[in-house]
Amino acid sequence: MRTRLLRALRLGIILASATACITVLLRSQGYGGRAAFTATQTYTVYSGAVVAKSFVRVMAERSDGSSAEQLQIPGEDGRSFFDATTKRVFRVDPRFKWASVRVAGNAEASRYLALKTDCMNAYGGRVVVATCVPVSEKVLGYDVVAVTRSIKADPSLEFHYLVAPALNYFALREARYKNGSLAETVETLSLVSGDPAPTLFEVPNGYMIGSRGDYYLAHMKSMGREPSQRTVDFYRRSDEESGVLSLAPPGAASGQ
């Protein structure tokens, strides 16, 4: 009995040591935790072989799982961010000086907070077909994996990515095809490691803030248009289900 206990104890120590070594190795490679960074990209939309629109997009991630997206489109600037602490999604409209807020559902929050363990975990799934192939190319100094992805329900769409494992499989390059023709491209121009600017995760002072229903009604009123009752009912129902009406009322200075 004593011999068996000693063997079991030794085995437990060996397994624990192996687990610790693997964890240290993964973290040293940058794959065992979430990297914080800010990426500046060019997003180009094509119509046939002609560029229809090109704009700058800023993508940022915090180590806690919070993420932000800022679009710099003349006359259409906008920003959205997910706050991991409160699990809320904010959409900031600088033209209208408004921000809408909603609570992310459990499945949505899990997607935001997911730590992607491998390429297929990040890009595969039941409704898509994906392949992941490591390549010798580096993008902005990062090792990348080439991903080809299509949607089973719509084979006319195909997506090609170069993703960085060290950045939680963030896509540094993207190309999207429709019926074999190039439709969109994304190219990362620069990437800065470390915590993103706090302003990407804040609602500016003086902005109105409320539910999506509040924002929709105010926006339609500002344009002198009659709101759709169907849309109003949808927002009210989803806001009530998520508990968003318990948040700060419109007029609050910050969504934090």
Side-chain angles (χ1 to χ4, degrees), residues 227-251:
S228 161
Q229 189 59 47
R230 182 177 180 179
T231 303
V232 172
D233 291 344
F234 168 78
Y235 282 137
R236 283 177 175 167
R237 184 169 59 252
S238 60
D239 289 341
E240 289 171 358
E241 290 173 354
S242 69
V244 75
L245 298 183
S246 64
L247 300 175

Side-chain angles (χ1 to χ4, degrees), residues 22-213:
I22 291 169
T23 301
V24 170
L25 177 61
L26 287 173
R27 287 179 178 166
S28 70
Q29 293 175 333
Y31 307 162
R34 184 187 299 276
F37 62 88
T38 305
T40 301
Q41 305 176 313
T42 54
Y43 196 121
T44 305
V45 180
Y46 295 86
S47 177
V50 179
V51 174
K53 182 186 294 187
S54 184
F55 55 89
V56 174
R57 180 173 74 173
V58 175
M59 303 288 284
E61 292 196 19
R62 286 175 167 171
S63 57
D64 68 353
S66 299
S67 59
E69 176 180 8
Q70 184 174 40
L71 303 179
Q72 299 175 6
I73 308 173
E76 300 178 39
D77 287 11
R79 175 164 52 90
S80 63
F81 64 91
F82 168 75
D83 181 74
T85 303
T86 61
K87 295 183 175 58
R88 297 173 184 171
V89 178
F90 294 80
R91 294 193 180 277
V92 181
D93 184 345
R95 296 160 298 172
F96 193 44
K97 299 275 190 277
W98 246 91
S100 66
V101 57
R102 63 181 176 82
V103 177
N106 291 334
E108 182 184 13
S110 295
R111 287 195 298 272
Y112 277 115
L113 297 170
L115 193 62
K116 301 175 178 67
T117 55
D118 57 53
C119 182
M120 288 303 295
N121 172 265
Y123 290 93
R126 290 178 296 178
V127 298
V128 301
V129 178
T131 60
C132 296
V133 180
V135 294
S136 58
E137 180 180 1
K138 287 180 179 285
V139 178
L140 299 177
Y142 288 91
D143 292 328
V144 291
V145 175
V147 178
T148 300
R149 197 169 188 247
S150 60
I151 303 171
K152 292 179 180 178
D154 188 357
S156 68
L157 293 173
E158 190 168 275
F159 307 85
H160 295 260
Y161 307 135
L162 286 179
V163 305
L167 299 174
N168 203 33
Y169 289 90
F170 177 72
L172 295 171
R173 287 181 186 165
E174 303 178 36
R176 304 173 190 178
Y177 295 85
K178 175 70 173 178
N179 293 321
S181 298
L182 185 63
E184 298 174 345
T185 60
V186 178
E187 177 76 22
T188 302
L189 302 176
S190 65
L191 190 141
V192 180
S193 298
D195 286 335
T199 51
L200 289 171
F201 299 88
E202 296 173 352
V203 176
N205 289 330
Y207 275 46
M208 298 290 283
I209 182 171
S211 69
R212 289 177 297 171

